[in-house]
Amino acid sequence: MSRVKEAIEEMIEESYLLGLSEDEIRQDFSRFIDTCYTVVQTHVRDRAAVSGLAEDLARERTCVLIADRNGEEGAGTGSGADSDAAVQTPREQFAERVARRKRLILRTIGAYDPRLVRLIDEQRFQVDFGRISRRRGQPRPRPRLDWERHRMLLLSIGYAFTVVLIILLIYLNFVQSI
């Protein structure tokens, strides 16, 4: 199931990148790497892990830039083994490589701490995923009653009734003793 999810997320990322120019793809990837680096620096306390993840991020940034330069030089050559790659334009191939690299980076970071992937996605998309609970296809939840307010009201009534009952018992005890 996770492979299917990874493939779908990679396709979503790739389709987003296909709407961008090559320079915008590079800028997006650079922002992605910066976001990952910021989250790792902020939330990981182990210095060795931080330096290892930072080194991996720097390597990934360099790999994409090198692959991009190699892709520009060999743009006319197509391998017969992959018929889809022969049909794709260089920009589409570049978008696919960047999307694959992003998913690989997130998988690597997720292997260290899955919580970091959620934090990176929150930072990238400026969404608090902890507040999103409804899935697609589910009916909208009906407005719920404010049970906390009702609970407090019932407690107040109960306390008032208890005080009145105590006062009544004291009065009856006083009247009986007279």
Side-chain angles (χ1 to χ4, degrees), residues 105-118:
I105 290 168
L106 288 176
R107 214 173 310 134
T108 303
I109 292 173
Y112 177 75
D113 186 1
R115 180 180 58 98
L116 293 175
V117 174
R118 183 182 53 81

Side-chain angles (χ1 to χ4, degrees), residues 81-148:
D82 191 9
S83 62
D84 290 338
V87 177
Q88 292 179 333
T89 66
R91 186 178 63 84
E92 290 172 341
Q93 291 174 351
F94 181 58
E96 183 180 350
R97 281 193 307 267
V98 169
R100 193 169 293 136
R101 287 289 185 188
K102 282 183 174 183
R103 297 311 311 163
L104 180 66
I105 290 168
L106 288 176
R107 214 173 310 134
T108 303
I109 292 173
Y112 177 75
D113 186 1
R115 180 180 58 98
L116 293 175
V117 174
R118 183 182 53 81
L119 292 171
I120 289 169
D121 286 340
E122 285 179 4
Q123 185 102 13
R124 282 176 64 198
F125 304 121
Q126 300 297 320
V127 175
D128 183 11
F129 289 120
R131 295 184 345 141
I132 298 175
S133 62
R134 188 172 71 88
R135 293 184 183 197
R136 245 184 146 168
Q138 289 181 341
R140 288 191 174 268
R142 286 183 275 158
R144 296 184 178 201
L145 295 174
D146 186 10
W147 287 109
E148 186 65 29

Side-chain angles (χ1 to χ4, degrees), residues 6 11 14 19 24 39-40 53-54 57 64 74 90 92 94 97 100 108 111 117 119 129 133 136 142 151-152 166 172:
E6 284 290 322
M11 288 173 60
E14 183 180 346
E24 290 171 331
V39 168
V40 166
L53 288 172
L57 291 172
V64 167
E92 290 172 341
F94 181 58
R97 281 193 307 267
R100 193 169 293 136
T108 303
V117 174
L119 292 171
F129 289 120
S133 62
R136 245 184 146 168
R142 286 183 275 158
R151 182 176 158 263
M152 291 305 293
I166 291 173
L172 289 175

Side-chain angles (χ1 to χ4, degrees), residues 26 28 33 43 51 60 65-66 71 80 101-102 106 159:
R26 283 187 199 92
D28 180 70
I33 295 291
H43 296 286
S51 64
E60 288 298 327
L65 293 175
I66 290 171
R101 287 289 185 188
K102 282 183 174 183
L106 288 176
Y159 289 140

